[in-house]
């Protein structure tokens, strides 16, 4: 089981899955505040329904009562994609330990799921700022479906080996980088700026439900099918990704940036990196995400060895492991619902620091009390904490980044966050092989506590974004 990570996460994120989890809300309408771009010019804080974007379907109302048809198509497609993610997030590690019990080799499979973020995130962001983001999502969906259908066929033929499994995960992960980067960049053009928390909240809750509450138990059942486990896992995921791509065809409107860059791709990437580095709040959020995902990557790469099997410390069956992931999901849904209220009470800084400290302590529970009676409640708490970090961080990032740079700056942030996960996974496997699994869990706890110190400092809850997290460029 992985968390979606902080996206801060989504994936999930999620993140068990992608970041600090894959990354929304209780529907609070944030106050609007201008920020300053890396070049010192004012940035537009409120986003949504820009020129060329889908218009709100409200009979002329400036702020839609609902979130609009384009968002609902995106939301539904996200639901199917995240259900497929959930099947893979739990199914792939379980299939891996059926092929090997080596901590290092199992961690390599986990690292392969997020390595594409480290290799492709910057290019995916630059491409998302040049082309139709909806079309990129559709092509990525079909690509994932094709790769996983081929893997299911290989499993049916009896030729699925560990190298084939790693290759399939790498290719599907590469498509995910382009799909997720484009989706996160397209969202602010499908809803009004003051509905970002509401939209992100629904997406985070759906991601959590799909990844863990529905997808994880389904994966546990599929893995239990004697003689058909690999075929069932990959075939089911392929069908779900194909269905998501079909739903995206229903999104109407223009999802290409109004002024696409005309310079070289390398120059586009450099612009995004400069903007992130020159923006104090974004820079702090990116560092925070990277440290947390480094911890999550190491922890969950080997977690399955600690909790699943007769020789493990906790002794769960594969089916029970799926329900453990579902418990994490239930906590994450609760966290996504309560995040807005927590932010109003404690402020964005207080919410991020508090839940990060709590998360670090909860990571030790399976080590100190290796019993299902303790591990299941701890998983619920980890899920809730992860969801809060995603709600706060992703919504802030989408408001702070101007539309023309959304793809590139989002991708740079996710390179740091998601790219840390394969590094953490590889490090976790190496440390486990040399020093044992407990050493990995202690190190992950320490990193999570360090992450709390990296949260951007600012003012009180209820003040504008620039006052709470610092104005752009260190203001």
């Amino acid at each position: 089981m992985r968390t979606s990570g902080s996206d801060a996460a989504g994936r999930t994120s999620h993140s068990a899955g992608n970041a600090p989890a894959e990354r929304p809300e209780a529907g609070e309408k944030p106050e609007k505040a201008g920020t300053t771009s890396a070049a010192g010019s004012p940035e537009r804080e409120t986003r949504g329904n820009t020129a060329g974007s889908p218009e709100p379907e409200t009979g002329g109302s400036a702020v839609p009562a609902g979130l609009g048809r384009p968002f609902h198509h995106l939301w539904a497609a996200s639901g199917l994609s995240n259900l497929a993610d959930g099947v893979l997030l739990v199914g792939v590690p379980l299939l891996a330990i059926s092929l090997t019990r080596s901590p290092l080799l199992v961690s390599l499979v986990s690292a392969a799921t997020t390595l594409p973020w480290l290799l492709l995130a910057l290019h995916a962001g630059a491409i998302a700022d040049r082309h139709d983001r909806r079309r990129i999502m559709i092509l990525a969906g079909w690509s994932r479906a094709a790769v996983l259908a081929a893997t299911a066929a290989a499993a049916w033929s009896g030729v699925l080996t560990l190298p084939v499994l790693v290759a399939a995960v790498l290719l599907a992960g590469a498509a995910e980088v382009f799909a997720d980067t484009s989706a996160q960049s397209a969202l602010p053009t499908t809803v009004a700026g003051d509905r970002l928390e509401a939209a992100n909240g629904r997406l985070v809750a759906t991601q959590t439900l799909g990844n863990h509450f529905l997808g994880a138990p389904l994966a546990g059942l599929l893995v239990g099918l004697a003689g058909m486990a690999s075929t069932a896992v990959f075939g089911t995921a392929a069908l779900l990704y194909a269905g998501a791509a079909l739903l995206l065809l229903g999104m109407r409107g223009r999802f290409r940036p109004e002024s696409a860059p005309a310079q070289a791709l390398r120059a586009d990437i450099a612009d995004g990196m400069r903007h992130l580095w020159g923006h104090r709040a974004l820079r702090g959020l990116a560092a925070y995400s990277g440290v947390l995902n480094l911890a999550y990557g190491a922890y969950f790469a080997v977690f399955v060895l600690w909790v699943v099997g007769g020789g493990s410390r906790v002794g769960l069956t594969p089916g029970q492991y799926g329900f453990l992931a579902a418990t994490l999901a239930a906590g994450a849904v609760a966290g996504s619902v309560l995040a807005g209220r927590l932010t109003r009470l404690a402020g964005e800084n207080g919410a991020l620091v508090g839940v990060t400290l709590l998360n670090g302590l909860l990571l030790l529970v399976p080590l100190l009390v290796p019993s299902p009676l303790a591990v299941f409640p701890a998983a619920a708490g980890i899920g809730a904490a992860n969801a809060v970090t995603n709600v706060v961080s992703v919504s802030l990032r989408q408001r702070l980044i101007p539309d023309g740079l959304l793809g590139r700056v989002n991708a740079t942030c996710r390179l740091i966050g998601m790219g840390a996960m394969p590094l953490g996974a590889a490090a976790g496997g190496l440390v486990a092989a040399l020093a044992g699994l407990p050493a990995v869990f202690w190190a992950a706890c320490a990193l999570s506590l360090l992450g709390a110190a990296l949260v951007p400092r600012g003012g009180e809850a209820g003040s504008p974004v620039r006052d709470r997290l610092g104005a752009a460029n260190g203001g």
Side-chain angles (χ1 to χ4, degrees):
M1 180 180 63
R2 293 184 321 193
T3 77
S4 52
S6 171
D7 203 8
R11 176 148 113 27
T12 234
S13 23
H14 28 163
S15 199
N18 310 229
E22 15 36 291
R23 79 209 145 205
E25 74 150 21
E28 175 190 13
K29 292 186 178 182
E31 298 183 50
K32 303 177 181 68
T35 58
T36 306
S37 72
S41 58
E43 292 175 7
R44 174 165 44 87
E45 190 72 27
T46 302
R47 223 178 317 279
N49 305 318
T50 58
S53 304
E55 293 299 324
E57 301 172 1
T58 59
S61 173
V63 178
L67 293 170
R69 182 175 296 176
F71 170 76
H72 283 91
H73 278 278
L74 179 63
W75 189 14
S78 174
L80 289 184
S81 291
N82 282 295
L83 182 57
D85 290 344
V87 170
L88 295 177
L89 288 172
V90 172
V92 167
L94 291 175
L95 294 176
I97 63 173
S98 72
L99 297 172
T100 178
R101 294 295 295 188
S102 164
L104 184 59
L105 293 178
V106 170
S107 71
L108 288 179
V109 176
S110 180
T113 64
T114 49
L115 181 61
W117 283 100
L118 195 61
L119 302 177
L120 300 173
L122 295 178
H123 293 84
I127 290 171
D129 282 342
R130 288 169 171 255
H131 302 286
D132 188 306
R133 292 158 178 169
R134 183 193 70 129
R135 184 172 298 176
I136 295 172
M137 289 186 279
I138 292 171
L139 291 174
W142 285 118
S143 298
R144 283 191 282 188
V147 166
L148 295 175
T151 308
W156 180 263
S157 302
V159 295
L160 181 63
T161 61
L162 194 66
V164 172
L165 179 63
V166 170
V169 167
L170 278 171
L171 291 173
E176 179 188 38
V177 174
F178 287 90
D180 284 8
T181 299
S182 296
Q184 202 169 84
S185 301
L187 178 62
T189 62
T190 65
V191 299
D194 60 358
R195 302 307 306 277
L196 279 173
E197 280 79 10
N200 275 315
R202 285 161 175 76
L203 290 173
V204 164
T206 301
Q207 174 186 335
T208 303
L209 286 169
N211 281 0
H212 310 304
F213 196 73
L214 299 176
L218 177 58
L221 294 175
L222 294 173
V223 170
L225 296 175
M228 294 183 57
S230 300
T231 303
V233 166
F234 291 115
T236 299
L239 289 173
L240 290 168
Y241 285 131
L246 288 174
L247 283 171
L248 288 171
L249 293 173
M251 287 181 69
R252 299 299 179 214
R254 177 183 173 87
F255 298 96
R256 181 173 179 169
E258 200 172 334
S259 54
Q263 56 189 351
L265 194 68
R266 183 177 297 180
D268 285 353
I269 293 172
D271 284 347
M273 297 176 71
R274 276 195 297 268
H275 185 85
L276 174 63
W277 182 252
H279 196 300
R280 191 176 70 179
L282 290 172
R283 187 173 67 240
L285 287 172
Y288 166 77
S289 171
V291 169
L292 285 191
N293 276 340
L294 188 68
Y296 286 140
Y299 189 94
F300 287 103
V302 296
F303 183 71
V304 65
L305 296 170
W306 185 260
V307 299
V308 176
S312 70
R313 291 298 303 273
V314 180
L316 299 181
T317 66
Q320 290 170 331
Y321 181 72
F323 283 105
L324 178 62
T327 301
L328 185 146
V333 171
S336 67
V337 171
L338 297 174
R341 183 176 302 174
L342 180 61
T343 300
R344 289 192 295 271
L345 290 174
E348 285 158 337
N349 171 266
L352 289 176
V353 171
V355 298
T356 303
L357 291 174
L358 174 63
N359 183 74
L361 298 177
L362 289 173
L363 291 175
L364 289 179
V365 171
L367 173 64
L368 301 178
V369 191
S371 163
L373 294 177
V375 171
F376 274 77
I382 292 170
N386 187 254
V388 172
T389 61
N390 279 328
V391 169
V392 176
S393 300
V394 172
S395 297
L396 276 173
R397 201 166 70 210
Q398 288 170 334
R399 284 199 301 269
L400 291 171
I401 303 170
D403 182 62
L405 284 166
L406 262 172
R408 285 165 284 172
V409 181
N410 265 329
T412 306
C413 290
R414 301 198 78 184
L415 168 66
I416 296 170
M418 298 298 292
M421 295 195 77
L423 298 178
L430 182 60
V431 171
L434 295 176
L437 296 175
V440 178
F441 299 153
W442 282 110
C445 172
L447 284 172
S448 185
L449 297 179
L450 173 63
L454 297 175
V455 174
R457 295 297 185 258
E460 301 299 325
S463 60
V465 170
R466 64 180 176 185
D467 294 334
R468 284 181 296 208
L469 291 183
N473 301 315

